[in-house]
Amino acid sequence: AYIIFIAANLHQPHSFLWSRGVICTGCVPGLVLLCQFRDMKHLSPFSLLANCANVSALTIVLWQDWLSYELVHDDDNNTNDSGDDGGVGTIHAVQWKGFLHVMGITLYSMEGVGLILSLQSSAKDQPTFPYLLQVVLAGITLFMAFFGTAGYLAFGDATLAPVTLNLPPHNVAARWVKSALCVGLYLTYPVMMFPIWNISDAYVLKQQQQQQQ
């Protein structure tokens, strides 16, 4: 799914250079090499680059939200006498038709739970890891709540999922956001695969030992 997302986002601005199949194929060799690391500490530089890319992308999205919010409300003030709402529309507290979609995204967001034990085993100060985990999760939750609220205030009922679809398609900022998210996903992939390889290696080695006995 990560590779398909990367191909879909890179294909749009660079469709004249590469097809989606070429992009997917080109992603595989690098990921195969990155997935060979057997110590989480060796993946920390790539994780840091991924976090920097994600922070830059989210910052630009918030900036675009602010620009859209100012533009819409300036238009609303100028056209208030004509009854125009400025393009935002009615902001609903809850829209139940999207409940299943929200539940699906919520469950999908929990895919990183399997990394907790691997991160704790790689931590330098393991006794303080639970407290650090709680602080980080609380900070991410507050930021994501702010991020979602900002997007909804900027685009109202026209808000799309993901909110990057609301950005102008040929805007330089939008292209940077898509490219940065692709870099973040690409470098995060080996980290997400780390516990899977650990389980697979343990199973394969156990089978080989049983066969030798």
PDB file of all heavy atoms in Angstrom, residues 10-49:
ATOM      1  N   LEU A  10       3.647  10.454  -6.971  1.00  0.00           N
ATOM      2  CA  LEU A  10       4.750  10.891  -7.825  1.00  0.00           C
ATOM      3  C   LEU A  10       4.375  10.865  -9.300  1.00  0.00           C
ATOM      4  O   LEU A  10       4.958  11.592 -10.104  1.00  0.00           O
ATOM      5  CB  LEU A  10       5.980  10.008  -7.596  1.00  0.00           C
ATOM      6  CG  LEU A  10       6.680  10.154  -6.247  1.00  0.00           C
ATOM      7  CD1 LEU A  10       7.912   9.262  -6.201  1.00  0.00           C
ATOM      8  CD2 LEU A  10       7.067  11.601  -5.977  1.00  0.00           C
ATOM      9  N   HIS A  11       3.389  10.036  -9.647  1.00  0.00           N
ATOM     10  CA  HIS A  11       2.997   9.933 -11.056  1.00  0.00           C
ATOM     11  C   HIS A  11       2.290  11.192 -11.530  1.00  0.00           C
ATOM     12  O   HIS A  11       2.452  11.603 -12.687  1.00  0.00           O
ATOM     13  CB  HIS A  11       2.073   8.726 -11.252  1.00  0.00           C
ATOM     14  CG  HIS A  11       1.519   8.624 -12.640  1.00  0.00           C
ATOM     15  ND1 HIS A  11       2.288   8.253 -13.716  1.00  0.00           N
ATOM     16  CD2 HIS A  11       0.267   8.852 -13.132  1.00  0.00           C
ATOM     17  CE1 HIS A  11       1.540   8.252 -14.812  1.00  0.00           C
ATOM     18  NE2 HIS A  11       0.318   8.611 -14.484  1.00  0.00           N
ATOM     19  N   GLN A  12       1.535  11.833 -10.644  1.00  0.00           N
ATOM     20  CA  GLN A  12       0.745  12.999 -11.055  1.00  0.00           C
ATOM     21  C   GLN A  12       1.610  14.163 -11.547  1.00  0.00           C
ATOM     22  O   GLN A  12       1.398  14.654 -12.648  1.00  0.00           O
ATOM     23  CB  GLN A  12      -0.149  13.459  -9.896  1.00  0.00           C
ATOM     24  CG  GLN A  12      -1.077  14.601 -10.283  1.00  0.00           C
ATOM     25  CD  GLN A  12      -1.989  14.993  -9.132  1.00  0.00           C
ATOM     26  OE1 GLN A  12      -1.854  14.502  -8.021  1.00  0.00           O
ATOM     27  NE2 GLN A  12      -2.934  15.867  -9.400  1.00  0.00           N
ATOM     28  N   PRO A  13       2.637  14.593 -10.777  1.00  0.00           N
ATOM     29  CA  PRO A  13       3.448  15.706 -11.285  1.00  0.00           C
ATOM     30  C   PRO A  13       4.512  15.289 -12.297  1.00  0.00           C
ATOM     31  O   PRO A  13       5.045  16.117 -13.014  1.00  0.00           O
ATOM     32  CB  PRO A  13       4.092  16.265 -10.016  1.00  0.00           C
ATOM     33  CG  PRO A  13       4.169  15.105  -9.103  1.00  0.00           C
ATOM     34  CD  PRO A  13       2.974  14.249  -9.399  1.00  0.00           C
ATOM     35  N   HIS A  14       4.831  13.984 -12.353  1.00  0.00           N
ATOM     36  CA  HIS A  14       5.908  13.528 -13.227  1.00  0.00           C
ATOM     37  C   HIS A  14       5.407  12.477 -14.219  1.00  0.00           C
ATOM     38  O   HIS A  14       6.165  11.577 -14.592  1.00  0.00           O
ATOM     39  CB  HIS A  14       7.048  12.942 -12.392  1.00  0.00           C
ATOM     40  CG  HIS A  14       7.571  13.868 -11.335  1.00  0.00           C
ATOM     41  ND1 HIS A  14       8.244  15.035 -11.633  1.00  0.00           N
ATOM     42  CD2 HIS A  14       7.502  13.811  -9.981  1.00  0.00           C
ATOM     43  CE1 HIS A  14       8.593  15.647 -10.507  1.00  0.00           C
ATOM     44  NE2 HIS A  14       8.142  14.923  -9.486  1.00  0.00           N
ATOM     45  N   SER A  15       4.155  12.569 -14.617  1.00  0.00           N
ATOM     46  CA  SER A  15       3.583  11.568 -15.512  1.00  0.00           C
ATOM     47  C   SER A  15       4.278  11.535 -16.866  1.00  0.00           C
ATOM     48  O   SER A  15       4.262  10.512 -17.554  1.00  0.00           O
ATOM     49  CB  SER A  15       2.082  11.837 -15.700  1.00  0.00           C
ATOM     50  OG  SER A  15       1.872  13.144 -16.221  1.00  0.00           O
ATOM     51  N   PHE A  16       4.897  12.657 -17.243  1.00  0.00           N
ATOM     52  CA  PHE A  16       5.578  12.698 -18.528  1.00  0.00           C
ATOM     53  C   PHE A  16       6.930  11.974 -18.481  1.00  0.00           C
ATOM     54  O   PHE A  16       7.544  11.737 -19.525  1.00  0.00           O
ATOM     55  CB  PHE A  16       5.798  14.156 -18.957  1.00  0.00           C
ATOM     56  CG  PHE A  16       6.617  14.961 -17.991  1.00  0.00           C
ATOM     57  CD1 PHE A  16       7.983  15.086 -18.139  1.00  0.00           C
ATOM     58  CD2 PHE A  16       6.002  15.590 -16.911  1.00  0.00           C
ATOM     59  CE1 PHE A  16       8.734  15.835 -17.242  1.00  0.00           C
ATOM     60  CE2 PHE A  16       6.748  16.340 -16.014  1.00  0.00           C
ATOM     61  CZ  PHE A  16       8.114  16.460 -16.174  1.00  0.00           C
ATOM     62  N   LEU A  17       7.406  11.630 -17.276  1.00  0.00           N
ATOM     63  CA  LEU A  17       8.694  10.949 -17.148  1.00  0.00           C
ATOM     64  C   LEU A  17       8.542   9.463 -16.867  1.00  0.00           C
ATOM     65  O   LEU A  17       9.184   8.635 -17.520  1.00  0.00           O
ATOM     66  CB  LEU A  17       9.514  11.605 -16.026  1.00  0.00           C
ATOM     67  CG  LEU A  17       9.999  13.044 -16.260  1.00  0.00           C
ATOM     68  CD1 LEU A  17      10.726  13.561 -15.032  1.00  0.00           C
ATOM     69  CD2 LEU A  17      10.929  13.095 -17.465  1.00  0.00           C
ATOM     70  N   TRP A  18       7.717   9.127 -15.873  1.00  0.00           N
ATOM     71  CA  TRP A  18       7.625   7.738 -15.440  1.00  0.00           C
ATOM     72  C   TRP A  18       6.172   7.313 -15.308  1.00  0.00           C
ATOM     73  O   TRP A  18       5.302   8.094 -14.941  1.00  0.00           O
ATOM     74  CB  TRP A  18       8.311   7.539 -14.079  1.00  0.00           C
ATOM     75  CG  TRP A  18       9.681   8.130 -13.997  1.00  0.00           C
ATOM     76  CD1 TRP A  18      10.767   7.804 -14.748  1.00  0.00           C
ATOM     77  CD2 TRP A  18      10.112   9.157 -13.096  1.00  0.00           C
ATOM     78  NE1 TRP A  18      11.848   8.551 -14.379  1.00  0.00           N
ATOM     79  CE2 TRP A  18      11.486   9.397 -13.366  1.00  0.00           C
ATOM     80  CE3 TRP A  18       9.496   9.894 -12.090  1.00  0.00           C
ATOM     81  CZ2 TRP A  18      12.230  10.333 -12.672  1.00  0.00           C
ATOM     82  CZ3 TRP A  18      10.235  10.823 -11.399  1.00  0.00           C
ATOM     83  CH2 TRP A  18      11.578  11.040 -11.690  1.00  0.00           C
ATOM     84  N   SER A  19       5.929   6.035 -15.566  1.00  0.00           N
ATOM     85  CA  SER A  19       4.619   5.456 -15.321  1.00  0.00           C
ATOM     86  C   SER A  19       4.571   4.950 -13.879  1.00  0.00           C
ATOM     87  O   SER A  19       5.603   4.863 -13.195  1.00  0.00           O
ATOM     88  CB  SER A  19       4.355   4.296 -16.280  1.00  0.00           C
ATOM     89  OG  SER A  19       5.271   3.243 -16.048  1.00  0.00           O
ATOM     90  N   ARG A  20       3.382   4.583 -13.407  1.00  0.00           N
ATOM     91  CA  ARG A  20       3.251   4.097 -12.032  1.00  0.00           C
ATOM     92  C   ARG A  20       4.007   2.786 -11.848  1.00  0.00           C
ATOM     93  O   ARG A  20       4.591   2.535 -10.787  1.00  0.00           O
ATOM     94  CB  ARG A  20       1.775   3.920 -11.685  1.00  0.00           C
ATOM     95  CG  ARG A  20       0.998   5.222 -11.646  1.00  0.00           C
ATOM     96  CD  ARG A  20      -0.384   5.022 -11.079  1.00  0.00           C
ATOM     97  NE  ARG A  20      -1.139   6.263 -11.066  1.00  0.00           N
ATOM     98  CZ  ARG A  20      -2.332   6.416 -10.503  1.00  0.00           C
ATOM     99  NH1 ARG A  20      -2.917   5.383  -9.907  1.00  0.00           N
ATOM    100  NH2 ARG A  20      -2.949   7.579 -10.536  1.00  0.00           N
ATOM    101  N   GLY A  21       3.974   1.941 -12.869  1.00  0.00           N
ATOM    102  CA  GLY A  21       4.689   0.671 -12.768  1.00  0.00           C
ATOM    103  C   GLY A  21       6.180   0.858 -12.622  1.00  0.00           C
ATOM    104  O   GLY A  21       6.845   0.157 -11.838  1.00  0.00           O
ATOM    105  N   VAL A  22       6.730   1.815 -13.357  1.00  0.00           N
ATOM    106  CA  VAL A  22       8.167   2.093 -13.260  1.00  0.00           C
ATOM    107  C   VAL A  22       8.515   2.615 -11.875  1.00  0.00           C
ATOM    108  O   VAL A  22       9.539   2.234 -11.276  1.00  0.00           O
ATOM    109  CB  VAL A  22       8.582   3.112 -14.345  1.00  0.00           C
ATOM    110  CG1 VAL A  22      10.010   3.574 -14.123  1.00  0.00           C
ATOM    111  CG2 VAL A  22       8.426   2.504 -15.728  1.00  0.00           C
ATOM    112  N   ILE A  23       7.662   3.490 -11.315  1.00  0.00           N
ATOM    113  CA  ILE A  23       7.923   4.037  -9.978  1.00  0.00           C
ATOM    114  C   ILE A  23       7.869   2.934  -8.927  1.00  0.00           C
ATOM    115  O   ILE A  23       8.734   2.862  -8.044  1.00  0.00           O
ATOM    116  CB  ILE A  23       6.916   5.156  -9.655  1.00  0.00           C
ATOM    117  CG1 ILE A  23       7.090   6.330 -10.632  1.00  0.00           C
ATOM    118  CG2 ILE A  23       7.095   5.635  -8.219  1.00  0.00           C
ATOM    119  CD1 ILE A  23       6.067   7.422 -10.472  1.00  0.00           C
ATOM    120  N   CYS A  24       6.863   2.059  -9.015  1.00  0.00           N
ATOM    121  CA  CYS A  24       6.751   0.947  -8.061  1.00  0.00           C
ATOM    122  C   CYS A  24       7.974   0.044  -8.140  1.00  0.00           C
ATOM    123  O   CYS A  24       8.540  -0.360  -7.113  1.00  0.00           O
ATOM    124  CB  CYS A  24       5.486   0.135  -8.337  1.00  0.00           C
ATOM    125  SG  CYS A  24       3.944   0.968  -7.905  1.00  0.00           S
ATOM    126  N   THR A  25       8.394  -0.274  -9.361  1.00  0.00           N
ATOM    127  CA  THR A  25       9.562  -1.138  -9.541  1.00  0.00           C
ATOM    128  C   THR A  25      10.827  -0.466  -9.013  1.00  0.00           C
ATOM    129  O   THR A  25      11.676  -1.109  -8.391  1.00  0.00           O
ATOM    130  CB  THR A  25       9.739  -1.492 -11.021  1.00  0.00           C
ATOM    131  OG1 THR A  25       8.532  -2.089 -11.514  1.00  0.00           O
ATOM    132  CG2 THR A  25      10.887  -2.461 -11.215  1.00  0.00           C
ATOM    133  N   GLY A  26      10.956   0.833  -9.243  1.00  0.00           N
ATOM    134  CA  GLY A  26      12.135   1.549  -8.775  1.00  0.00           C
ATOM    135  C   GLY A  26      12.226   1.657  -7.266  1.00  0.00           C
ATOM    136  O   GLY A  26      13.331   1.817  -6.717  1.00  0.00           O
ATOM    137  N   CYS A  27      11.100   1.572  -6.576  1.00  0.00           N
ATOM    138  CA  CYS A  27      11.099   1.664  -5.109  1.00  0.00           C
ATOM    139  C   CYS A  27      11.606   0.386  -4.449  1.00  0.00           C
ATOM    140  O   CYS A  27      12.120   0.432  -3.325  1.00  0.00           O
ATOM    141  CB  CYS A  27       9.690   1.969  -4.597  1.00  0.00           C
ATOM    142  SG  CYS A  27       9.106   3.643  -4.935  1.00  0.00           S
ATOM    143  N   VAL A  28      11.470  -0.744  -5.130  1.00  0.00           N
ATOM    144  CA  VAL A  28      11.737  -2.045  -4.494  1.00  0.00           C
ATOM    145  C   VAL A  28      13.201  -2.244  -4.109  1.00  0.00           C
ATOM    146  O   VAL A  28      13.486  -2.647  -2.966  1.00  0.00           O
ATOM    147  CB  VAL A  28      11.238  -3.189  -5.395  1.00  0.00           C
ATOM    148  CG1 VAL A  28      11.647  -4.543  -4.826  1.00  0.00           C
ATOM    149  CG2 VAL A  28       9.724  -3.110  -5.544  1.00  0.00           C
ATOM    150  N   PRO A  29      14.181  -2.006  -4.998  1.00  0.00           N
ATOM    151  CA  PRO A  29      15.577  -2.292  -4.607  1.00  0.00           C
ATOM    152  C   PRO A  29      16.027  -1.556  -3.354  1.00  0.00           C
ATOM    153  O   PRO A  29      16.673  -2.156  -2.473  1.00  0.00           O
ATOM    154  CB  PRO A  29      16.377  -1.837  -5.838  1.00  0.00           C
ATOM    155  CG  PRO A  29      15.418  -1.914  -6.966  1.00  0.00           C
ATOM    156  CD  PRO A  29      14.092  -1.532  -6.386  1.00  0.00           C
ATOM    157  N   GLY A  30      15.707  -0.277  -3.244  1.00  0.00           N
ATOM    158  CA  GLY A  30      16.098   0.478  -2.056  1.00  0.00           C
ATOM    159  C   GLY A  30      15.454  -0.054  -0.793  1.00  0.00           C
ATOM    160  O   GLY A  30      16.097  -0.144   0.266  1.00  0.00           O
ATOM    161  N   LEU A  31      14.181  -0.431  -0.885  1.00  0.00           N
ATOM    162  CA  LEU A  31      13.492  -0.969   0.284  1.00  0.00           C
ATOM    163  C   LEU A  31      14.068  -2.319   0.692  1.00  0.00           C
ATOM    164  O   LEU A  31      14.172  -2.624   1.890  1.00  0.00           O
ATOM    165  CB  LEU A  31      11.992  -1.116  -0.019  1.00  0.00           C
ATOM    166  CG  LEU A  31      11.219   0.196  -0.180  1.00  0.00           C
ATOM    167  CD1 LEU A  31       9.771  -0.092  -0.550  1.00  0.00           C
ATOM    168  CD2 LEU A  31      11.270   1.026   1.100  1.00  0.00           C
ATOM    169  N   VAL A  32      14.446  -3.129  -0.275  1.00  0.00           N
ATOM    170  CA  VAL A  32      15.053  -4.429   0.037  1.00  0.00           C
ATOM    171  C   VAL A  32      16.351  -4.232   0.815  1.00  0.00           C
ATOM    172  O   VAL A  32      16.622  -4.931   1.806  1.00  0.00           O
ATOM    173  CB  VAL A  32      15.310  -5.225  -1.257  1.00  0.00           C
ATOM    174  CG1 VAL A  32      16.138  -6.473  -0.960  1.00  0.00           C
ATOM    175  CG2 VAL A  32      13.989  -5.614  -1.907  1.00  0.00           C
ATOM    176  N   LEU A  33      17.154  -3.264   0.402  1.00  0.00           N
ATOM    177  CA  LEU A  33      18.409  -2.994   1.105  1.00  0.00           C
ATOM    178  C   LEU A  33      18.152  -2.448   2.509  1.00  0.00           C
ATOM    179  O   LEU A  33      18.809  -2.860   3.482  1.00  0.00           O
ATOM    180  CB  LEU A  33      19.253  -1.999   0.308  1.00  0.00           C
ATOM    181  CG  LEU A  33      19.803  -2.502  -1.031  1.00  0.00           C
ATOM    182  CD1 LEU A  33      20.528  -1.383  -1.759  1.00  0.00           C
ATOM    183  CD2 LEU A  33      20.730  -3.691  -0.817  1.00  0.00           C
ATOM    184  N   LEU A  34      17.193  -1.521   2.634  1.00  0.00           N
ATOM    185  CA  LEU A  34      16.913  -0.927   3.947  1.00  0.00           C
ATOM    186  C   LEU A  34      16.342  -1.955   4.922  1.00  0.00           C
ATOM    187  O   LEU A  34      16.539  -1.843   6.134  1.00  0.00           O
ATOM    188  CB  LEU A  34      15.944   0.244   3.793  1.00  0.00           C
ATOM    189  CG  LEU A  34      16.500   1.505   3.116  1.00  0.00           C
ATOM    190  CD1 LEU A  34      15.394   2.531   2.916  1.00  0.00           C
ATOM    191  CD2 LEU A  34      17.632   2.106   3.935  1.00  0.00           C
ATOM    192  N   CYS A  35      15.610  -2.928   4.409  1.00  0.00           N
ATOM    193  CA  CYS A  35      14.995  -3.944   5.276  1.00  0.00           C
ATOM    194  C   CYS A  35      15.998  -4.989   5.760  1.00  0.00           C
ATOM    195  O   CYS A  35      15.625  -5.882   6.536  1.00  0.00           O
ATOM    196  CB  CYS A  35      13.852  -4.643   4.542  1.00  0.00           C
ATOM    197  SG  CYS A  35      12.385  -3.599   4.302  1.00  0.00           S
ATOM    198  N   GLN A  36      17.267  -4.914   5.321  1.00  0.00           N
ATOM    199  CA  GLN A  36      18.274  -5.879   5.753  1.00  0.00           C
ATOM    200  C   GLN A  36      18.840  -5.564   7.137  1.00  0.00           C
ATOM    201  O   GLN A  36      19.491  -6.406   7.739  1.00  0.00           O
ATOM    202  CB  GLN A  36      19.417  -5.930   4.726  1.00  0.00           C
ATOM    203  CG  GLN A  36      18.996  -6.331   3.331  1.00  0.00           C
ATOM    204  CD  GLN A  36      18.217  -7.634   3.305  1.00  0.00           C
ATOM    205  OE1 GLN A  36      18.644  -8.646   3.868  1.00  0.00           O
ATOM    206  NE2 GLN A  36      17.062  -7.611   2.654  1.00  0.00           N
ATOM    207  N   PHE A  37      18.597  -4.341   7.628  1.00  0.00           N
ATOM    208  CA  PHE A  37      19.105  -3.994   8.958  1.00  0.00           C
ATOM    209  C   PHE A  37      18.416  -4.836  10.013  1.00  0.00           C
ATOM    210  O   PHE A  37      17.197  -4.994  10.001  1.00  0.00           O
ATOM    211  CB  PHE A  37      18.885  -2.511   9.247  1.00  0.00           C
ATOM    212  CG  PHE A  37      19.746  -1.591   8.416  1.00  0.00           C
ATOM    213  CD1 PHE A  37      19.203  -0.849   7.394  1.00  0.00           C
ATOM    214  CD2 PHE A  37      21.106  -1.494   8.663  1.00  0.00           C
ATOM    215  CE1 PHE A  37      19.978  -0.001   6.631  1.00  0.00           C
ATOM    216  CE2 PHE A  37      21.902  -0.649   7.912  1.00  0.00           C
ATOM    217  CZ  PHE A  37      21.346   0.092   6.887  1.00  0.00           C
ATOM    218  N   ARG A  38      19.195  -5.363  10.944  1.00  0.00           N
ATOM    219  CA  ARG A  38      18.641  -6.202  12.000  1.00  0.00           C
ATOM    220  C   ARG A  38      18.698  -5.536  13.371  1.00  0.00           C
ATOM    221  O   ARG A  38      18.436  -6.163  14.390  1.00  0.00           O
ATOM    222  CB  ARG A  38      19.388  -7.547  12.044  1.00  0.00           C
ATOM    223  CG  ARG A  38      19.060  -8.428  10.841  1.00  0.00           C
ATOM    224  CD  ARG A  38      17.579  -8.768  10.828  1.00  0.00           C
ATOM    225  NE  ARG A  38      17.182  -9.548   9.675  1.00  0.00           N
ATOM    226  CZ  ARG A  38      16.633  -9.030   8.587  1.00  0.00           C
ATOM    227  NH1 ARG A  38      16.430  -7.718   8.514  1.00  0.00           N
ATOM    228  NH2 ARG A  38      16.274  -9.788   7.583  1.00  0.00           N
ATOM    229  N   ASP A  39      19.079  -4.272  13.394  1.00  0.00           N
ATOM    230  CA  ASP A  39      19.103  -3.504  14.638  1.00  0.00           C
ATOM    231  C   ASP A  39      18.346  -2.198  14.403  1.00  0.00           C
ATOM    232  O   ASP A  39      18.655  -1.465  13.461  1.00  0.00           O
ATOM    233  CB  ASP A  39      20.538  -3.219  15.068  1.00  0.00           C
ATOM    234  CG  ASP A  39      20.621  -2.676  16.495  1.00  0.00           C
ATOM    235  OD1 ASP A  39      19.589  -2.174  17.005  1.00  0.00           O
ATOM    236  OD2 ASP A  39      21.701  -2.763  17.110  1.00  0.00           O
ATOM    237  N   MET A  40      17.372  -1.908  15.230  1.00  0.00           N
ATOM    238  CA  MET A  40      16.550  -0.711  15.078  1.00  0.00           C
ATOM    239  C   MET A  40      17.392   0.562  15.129  1.00  0.00           C
ATOM    240  O   MET A  40      17.040   1.565  14.495  1.00  0.00           O
ATOM    241  CB  MET A  40      15.483  -0.687  16.164  1.00  0.00           C
ATOM    242  CG  MET A  40      14.507   0.466  16.055  1.00  0.00           C
ATOM    243  SD  MET A  40      13.341   0.276  14.690  1.00  0.00           S
ATOM    244  CE  MET A  40      12.191  -0.908  15.384  1.00  0.00           C
ATOM    245  N   LYS A  41      18.511   0.525  15.847  1.00  0.00           N
ATOM    246  CA  LYS A  41      19.351   1.716  15.967  1.00  0.00           C
ATOM    247  C   LYS A  41      19.924   2.134  14.615  1.00  0.00           C
ATOM    248  O   LYS A  41      20.151   3.318  14.376  1.00  0.00           O
ATOM    249  CB  LYS A  41      20.480   1.450  16.959  1.00  0.00           C
ATOM    250  CG  LYS A  41      20.002   1.210  18.389  1.00  0.00           C
ATOM    251  CD  LYS A  41      21.160   0.913  19.314  1.00  0.00           C
ATOM    252  CE  LYS A  41      20.656   0.647  20.735  1.00  0.00           C
ATOM    253  NZ  LYS A  41      21.756   0.315  21.675  1.00  0.00           N
ATOM    254  N   HIS A  42      20.158   1.178  13.735  1.00  0.00           N
ATOM    255  CA  HIS A  42      20.706   1.496  12.428  1.00  0.00           C
ATOM    256  C   HIS A  42      19.680   2.184  11.527  1.00  0.00           C
ATOM    257  O   HIS A  42      20.052   2.815  10.527  1.00  0.00           O
ATOM    258  CB  HIS A  42      21.206   0.220  11.748  1.00  0.00           C
ATOM    259  CG  HIS A  42      22.349  -0.427  12.459  1.00  0.00           C
ATOM    260  ND1 HIS A  42      22.620  -1.781  12.385  1.00  0.00           N
ATOM    261  CD2 HIS A  42      23.284   0.098  13.300  1.00  0.00           C
ATOM    262  CE1 HIS A  42      23.673  -2.059  13.120  1.00  0.00           C
ATOM    263  NE2 HIS A  42      24.100  -0.939  13.699  1.00  0.00           N
ATOM    264  N   LEU A  43      18.423   2.070  11.885  1.00  0.00           N
ATOM    265  CA  LEU A  43      17.362   2.711  11.101  1.00  0.00           C
ATOM    266  C   LEU A  43      17.027   4.114  11.609  1.00  0.00           C
ATOM    267  O   LEU A  43      16.223   4.806  10.982  1.00  0.00           O
ATOM    268  CB  LEU A  43      16.093   1.850  11.126  1.00  0.00           C
ATOM    269  CG  LEU A  43      16.177   0.498  10.413  1.00  0.00           C
ATOM    270  CD1 LEU A  43      14.900  -0.304  10.652  1.00  0.00           C
ATOM    271  CD2 LEU A  43      16.403   0.674   8.922  1.00  0.00           C
ATOM    272  N   SER A  44      17.626   4.511  12.717  1.00  0.00           N
ATOM    273  CA  SER A  44      17.287   5.816  13.300  1.00  0.00           C
ATOM    274  C   SER A  44      17.595   6.990  12.370  1.00  0.00           C
ATOM    275  O   SER A  44      16.802   7.952  12.327  1.00  0.00           O
ATOM    276  CB  SER A  44      17.997   5.990  14.641  1.00  0.00           C
ATOM    277  OG  SER A  44      19.402   5.871  14.494  1.00  0.00           O
ATOM    278  N   PRO A  45      18.699   7.007  11.606  1.00  0.00           N
ATOM    279  CA  PRO A  45      18.908   8.145  10.694  1.00  0.00           C
ATOM    280  C   PRO A  45      17.814   8.265   9.639  1.00  0.00           C
ATOM    281  O   PRO A  45      17.375   9.374   9.312  1.00  0.00           O
ATOM    282  CB  PRO A  45      20.271   7.853  10.056  1.00  0.00           C
ATOM    283  CG  PRO A  45      20.947   6.930  11.004  1.00  0.00           C
ATOM    284  CD  PRO A  45      19.863   6.105  11.599  1.00  0.00           C
ATOM    285  N   PHE A  46      17.364   7.121   9.117  1.00  0.00           N
ATOM    286  CA  PHE A  46      16.308   7.147   8.109  1.00  0.00           C
ATOM    287  C   PHE A  46      14.980   7.579   8.725  1.00  0.00           C
ATOM    288  O   PHE A  46      14.194   8.291   8.096  1.00  0.00           O
ATOM    289  CB  PHE A  46      16.168   5.764   7.462  1.00  0.00           C
ATOM    290  CG  PHE A  46      17.438   5.248   6.857  1.00  0.00           C
ATOM    291  CD1 PHE A  46      18.219   4.316   7.522  1.00  0.00           C
ATOM    292  CD2 PHE A  46      17.871   5.720   5.625  1.00  0.00           C
ATOM    293  CE1 PHE A  46      19.393   3.835   6.965  1.00  0.00           C
ATOM    294  CE2 PHE A  46      19.045   5.252   5.058  1.00  0.00           C
ATOM    295  CZ  PHE A  46      19.812   4.314   5.729  1.00  0.00           C
ATOM    296  N   SER A  47      14.741   7.152   9.967  1.00  0.00           N
ATOM    297  CA  SER A  47      13.535   7.584  10.666  1.00  0.00           C
ATOM    298  C   SER A  47      13.552   9.081  10.924  1.00  0.00           C
ATOM    299  O   SER A  47      12.514   9.756  10.812  1.00  0.00           O
ATOM    300  CB  SER A  47      13.397   6.816  11.984  1.00  0.00           C
ATOM    301  OG  SER A  47      12.241   7.221  12.689  1.00  0.00           O
ATOM    302  N   LEU A  48      14.728   9.629  11.249  1.00  0.00           N
ATOM    303  CA  LEU A  48      14.853  11.070  11.477  1.00  0.00           C
ATOM    304  C   LEU A  48      14.560  11.846  10.189  1.00  0.00           C
ATOM    305  O   LEU A  48      13.855  12.860  10.218  1.00  0.00           O
ATOM    306  CB  LEU A  48      16.256  11.396  11.988  1.00  0.00           C
ATOM    307  CG  LEU A  48      16.559  12.877  12.238  1.00  0.00           C
ATOM    308  CD1 LEU A  48      15.630  13.441  13.301  1.00  0.00           C
ATOM    309  CD2 LEU A  48      18.022  13.057  12.651  1.00  0.00           C
ATOM    310  N   LEU A  49      15.093  11.375   9.069  1.00  0.00           N
ATOM    311  CA  LEU A  49      14.820  12.029   7.782  1.00  0.00           C
ATOM    312  C   LEU A  49      13.330  11.956   7.452  1.00  0.00           C
ATOM    313  O   LEU A  49      12.748  12.917   6.935  1.00  0.00           O
ATOM    314  CB  LEU A  49      15.643  11.371   6.677  1.00  0.00           C
ATOM    315  CG  LEU A  49      17.156  11.616   6.717  1.00  0.00           C
ATOM    316  CD1 LEU A  49      17.853  10.820   5.622  1.00  0.00           C
ATOM    317  CD2 LEU A  49      17.472  13.098   6.559  1.00  0.00           C
TER     318      LEU A  49
END
